Amino acid sequence: MQVSVAHHPPNTAVLVLRGSLDIDTAPALKANLSRLVERPAPRVVVDVSGLDFCDSMGVGVLVTAHGRAAERGGWVRLASPSGFLRRLFDTLGLSDYLPMFPDVAAALKEE
């Protein structure tokens, strides 16, 4: 999996993921997200349009990051989830917990 980060004002980061998010790659995402959500009122958009697979380890990293961000007065949002990822979050009952948006622009715009 490839991860790139772009910073947007105010205090917002966009993480772009490419490849597979699974047991082997989840630790790299966790490290990146942990740094970002430890800031005051963190705002993180995770662009998942380039993911071709996500397992329970990946879901766990995303959900944990959102919880940590919320504790600090911020959020984590998913942008451009595939049908597979939407169904996965629906099946797990997480669609209402972790906000999903059609694209990065929409995720950045919403307050």
Side-chain angles (χ1 to χ4, degrees):
M1 180 186 65
Q2 297 174 339
V3 179
S4 60
V5 181
H7 294 278
H8 297 262
N11 199 30
T12 304
V14 176
L15 246 71
V16 179
L17 307 182
R18 301 279 182 253
S20 295
L21 177 52
D22 56 26
I23 193 168
D24 294 325
T25 59
L29 178 60
K30 182 178 180 180
N32 278 284
L33 280 171
S34 291
R35 282 195 317 270
L36 296 171
V37 300
E38 294 303 318
R39 303 175 302 170
R43 298 164 32 134
V44 181
V45 175
V46 183
D47 179 352
V48 293
S49 62
L51 282 186
D52 51 27
F53 179 77
C54 181
D55 70 7
S56 61
M57 292 293 291
V59 170
V61 169
L62 294 168
V63 168
T64 299
H66 176 66
R68 291 177 118 184
E71 289 171 357
R72 297 180 175 287
W75 44 255
V76 171
R77 297 174 175 170
L78 299 184
S80 306
S82 65
F84 166 78
L85 201 55
R86 281 190 177 278
R87 286 188 303 278
L88 178 61
F89 274 76
D90 285 344
T91 300
L92 296 171
L94 296 170
S95 296
D96 291 334
Y97 179 71
L98 187 59
M100 294 186 215
F101 294 83
D103 53 41
V104 171
L108 289 170
K109 192 182 303 184
E110 291 289 322
E111 290 300 321

